[in-house]
Amino acid sequence: MRKKEEPIRIAQIIGKWVGGGVEAVVMNYFRHLDHSKIQFDFICDDDSTNIPYEEIESLGGRVILIPPYQKVFKYQKELQKVLKEGNYKIIHSHINTLSVFPLYAAKKVGIPIRIAHSHSTTNKAEWKKNLLKAILKPFSKIFANEYFACTEHAGRWLFGDKTFNSGKVFVMNNAINLEKFFYNEEIRKYKRKEVGIKDTEYAIGHIGRFVAQKNHIFIIDIFKEIHEKDKNAILVLVGQGPLQNEIEEKVKELSLKDRVKFLGQRDDADELYQAFDCFLFPSLYEGLGMVAIEAQCAGLPCICSTDVPKIAKVTKNVEFISLQDSVDKWSEEILKYENNYTRTDCTDEVRKAGYDIKEEVKKLEKKYINYNGR
């Protein structure tokens, strides 16, 4: 009897798993892979939170914890040991400029296919982060020999125009399961009831980690202006992160505590989009902004900063406003959708733009299988 062929097992370098957008992208692809052909081992920092161990293991994947990269010597020693014992042929690193650290370890132990994946860019406001990125960016191609990016913008930013123009960067769309985000009136009704949004309230939603990039301070400033114009408005914030306490304090100081809901980390984002009436996304920078794609899929109007890549607009329901514009302008744009917008399903438009996971996962599978055959 012929022995069943083992799937190709790929080392996915996640870094600190905190339930952010990158983890969501990797998990979306993992869920839809043909697991008889491809399997993932998720290599994460040992101080990670929110790792979905049960789901990963139920799909045949594994989670391996190692010290964070800041503990340089421990990190290198442990990672090299893990990579050697795993006998991997492919390593896929998702930690942007920091990929230099795991890919160095991979080259040291002789892994032939070393993928660096650009998921983000940068913004002048985060000068400390930018300094580290600027130092590490020139090394992005030293230990990698395959280049992935979520968009052309993110690919050019990390790998350079010359590399992108030569066709060496594979753009892997942050695809989603469109069926989960299909607009559903029944889901909207029960989800609003569950989280305490009245039928008469205008719910402005935001999903994102409480980090500087997501610009929560500005979100609260905008909402204060909205609240002064419309007492019917309510702000719903989904996520967690280091700046959450600071934002909660600001909300109290502005006497908005009764009008701002902090829902924490959730695994029902697809249903929460149904409950919102408008999606607010004033990021300082994004590689793409996957939540904007999801929000559009659910038929929501999206108000984004001009620092979100234009490619994130895949339906007519997106407006871009400069972060230099006044909170008054932002509030006016958001409020105009309160009584002048008909919610419709937009999944077909999102599919045509290349964000259907069922189609995109086939491209990734083909890549991995080709790499393994080298």
Side-chain angles (χ1 to χ4, degrees), residues 38-151:
I38 312 279
Q39 271 297 352
F40 286 178
D41 283 354
F42 296 87
I43 301 174
C44 313
D45 293 356
D46 59 17
D47 57 350
S48 293
T49 54
N50 302 304
I51 298 176
Y53 289 98
E54 283 185 22
E55 184 182 8
I56 288 169
E57 287 162 14
S58 72
L59 295 171
R62 295 187 293 228
V63 177
I64 301 165
L65 300 178
I66 60 170
Y69 79 93
Q70 290 92 337
K71 298 176 181 176
V72 181
F73 298 110
K74 278 187 177 177
Y75 176 84
Q76 282 296 329
K77 186 182 176 184
E78 192 59 33
L79 182 54
Q80 286 180 37
K81 181 172 175 260
V82 165
L83 295 177
K84 214 168 190 177
E85 289 174 356
N87 199 28
Y88 302 102
K89 194 169 178 183
I90 304 168
I91 182 171
H92 190 159
S93 181
H94 299 273
I95 53 178
N96 298 315
T97 53
L98 297 175
S99 289
V100 62
F101 298 111
L103 296 182
Y104 166 76
K107 189 168 185 182
K108 199 95 191 284
V109 301
I111 295 179
I113 306 296
R114 301 179 300 276
I115 304 167
H117 195 139
S118 178
H119 286 275
S120 192
T121 55
T122 191
N123 177 276
K124 58 184 180 291
E126 291 191 313
W127 67 270
K128 282 184 184 175
K129 264 191 175 183
N130 292 347
L131 186 61
L132 180 62
K133 287 178 179 180
I135 292 166
L136 294 176
K137 201 168 151 185
F139 299 98
S140 63
K141 293 180 287 188
I142 285 186
F143 304 117
N145 53 14
E146 296 293 336
Y147 315 116
F148 281 37
C150 60
T151 61

Side-chain angles (χ1 to χ4, degrees), residues 141-294:
K141 293 180 287 188
I142 285 186
F143 304 117
N145 53 14
E146 296 293 336
Y147 315 116
F148 281 37
C150 60
T151 61
E152 177 181 338
H153 179 53
R156 289 185 183 279
W157 177 80
L158 185 58
F159 305 119
D161 290 335
K162 189 178 175 184
T163 301
F164 194 92
N165 290 340
S166 69
K168 290 178 181 175
V169 181
F170 172 63
V171 175
M172 177 178 139
N173 289 332
N174 288 359
I176 55 176
N177 183 356
L178 302 186
E179 291 164 16
K180 281 180 71 177
F181 297 92
F182 188 96
Y183 179 58
N184 185 304
E185 189 67 32
E186 287 307 308
I187 292 174
R188 174 180 168 81
K189 283 176 185 170
Y190 90 71
K191 189 54 68 171
R192 281 175 76 98
K193 190 175 180 182
E194 181 193 303
V195 300
I197 303 169
K198 295 174 187 168
D199 290 345
T200 54
E201 288 176 325
Y202 181 56
I204 299 150
H206 173 84
I207 297 177
R209 291 195 70 227
F210 283 84
V211 291
Q213 175 194 351
K214 302 300 179 183
N215 213 4
H216 285 86
I217 288 172
F218 191 54
I219 289 173
I220 302 306
D221 289 339
I222 294 167
F223 184 69
K224 183 179 186 298
E225 186 74 15
I226 287 170
H227 180 64
E228 286 172 6
K229 295 174 180 175
D230 183 3
K231 304 297 182 198
N232 209 31
I234 190 164
L235 177 65
V236 184
L237 300 175
V238 182
Q240 61 182 20
L243 299 182
Q244 186 169 343
N245 290 341
E246 182 187 325
I247 301 304
E248 287 178 353
E249 279 304 310
K250 183 176 171 79
V251 166
K252 281 181 198 168
E253 285 166 18
L254 295 174
S255 304
L256 293 171
K257 199 177 171 189
D258 293 340
R259 304 308 297 160
V260 180
K261 292 182 180 294
F262 291 86
L263 299 190
Q265 190 68 29
R266 306 275 296 214
D267 58 7
D268 58 348
D270 53 315
E271 295 186 344
L272 288 169
Y273 289 117
Q274 314 293 333
F276 301 157
D277 296 299
C278 181
F279 190 74
L280 177 56
F281 198 48
S283 294
L284 298 179
Y285 62 92
E286 291 288 342
L288 170 67
M290 194 172 102
V291 288
I293 303 292
E294 293 173 346

